């Protein structure tokens, strides 16, 4: 039986190292092939936790990521970190990754995009269709008291929001 290709998604970690570690453990258990972070990592020291991932990362800056040079240096061996919106492909699917949703309506019109991912609102969202739109909610759990991430099966395009254990 063919093993599903899993892409794991998180945003708004806001230096919550405990929840980052929980996410990394979950993503490694799921045999994730790619981890996508939709911004607001905050501090370069969180790279110490993300280094335990068994998959590369695609990351955009959020509105609270002030130390951009430090973050780029800390994450250079972990994944690609740049300003958004960013476009990339994985497993034959075209992604747009951004932190806030200010350009969401523009990108929703594009026929060459399979998945749009954003964060910033701290509210999980799955909008099915083409493109599939995902906001994993906040991994940090500071604002809503719920720490959530998203798991995307790239073969079936099924996505679920997973609440991290307290």
């Amino acid at each position: 039986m063919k093993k599903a290709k899993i892409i794991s998604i998180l945003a708004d970690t806001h230096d919550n190292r405990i929840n980052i570690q929980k996410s990394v453990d979950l993503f490694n258990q799921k045999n994730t092939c790619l981890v996508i972070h939709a911004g607001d990592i905050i501090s370069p020291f969180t790279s110490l936790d993300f280094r335990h991932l068994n998959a590369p990362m695609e990351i955009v800056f959020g509105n609270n990521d002030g130390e951009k040079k430090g973050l780029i240096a800390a994450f250079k061996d972990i994944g690609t970190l740049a300003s958004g919106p960013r476009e990339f492909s994985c497993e034959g699917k075209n992604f747009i990754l951004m932190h806030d949703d200010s350009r969401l309506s523009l990108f929703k019109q594009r026929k060459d995009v399979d998945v749009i991912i954003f964060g910033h609102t701290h509210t999980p969202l799955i909008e099915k269709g083409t493109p599939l739109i995902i906001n994993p909610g906040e991994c940090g759990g500071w604002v809503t008291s719920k720490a959530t991430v998203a798991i995307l099966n790239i073969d079936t395009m099924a996505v679920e929001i997973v609440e991290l254990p307290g």
Side-chain angles (χ1 to χ4, degrees), residues 107-127:
F107 291 125
K108 284 170 92 170
Q109 307 305 314
R110 291 195 28 195
K111 302 297 181 202
D112 63 332
V113 176
D114 299 297
V115 183
I116 299 172
I117 296 168
F118 70 98
H120 187 61
T121 66
H122 294 239
T123 304
L125 170 76
I126 299 170
E127 190 176 307

Side-chain angles (χ1 to χ4, degrees), residues 64-154:
N64 287 299
D65 292 323
E67 194 180 339
K68 291 183 179 180
K69 287 183 182 178
L71 284 164
I72 290 169
F75 280 83
K76 69 179 166 91
D77 297 330
I78 300 171
T80 303
L81 171 58
S83 295
R86 298 189 46 230
E87 297 185 37
F88 62 92
S89 296
C90 179
E91 299 295 328
K93 303 293 183 187
N94 296 321
F95 289 78
I96 293 179
L97 173 60
M98 57 192 160
H99 182 62
D100 70 60
D101 62 350
S102 62
R103 295 174 65 188
L104 185 59
S105 60
L106 173 71
F107 291 125
K108 284 170 92 170
Q109 307 305 314
R110 291 195 28 195
K111 302 297 181 202
D112 63 332
V113 176
D114 299 297
V115 183
I116 299 172
I117 296 168
F118 70 98
H120 187 61
T121 66
H122 294 239
T123 304
L125 170 76
I126 299 170
E127 190 176 307
K128 295 181 180 180
T130 304
L132 173 63
I133 300 169
I134 304 168
N135 183 329
E138 63 165 321
C139 180
W142 302 120
V143 174
T144 65
S145 298
K146 287 188 178 181
T148 58
V149 298
I151 305 295
L152 171 63
N153 179 325
I154 201 68

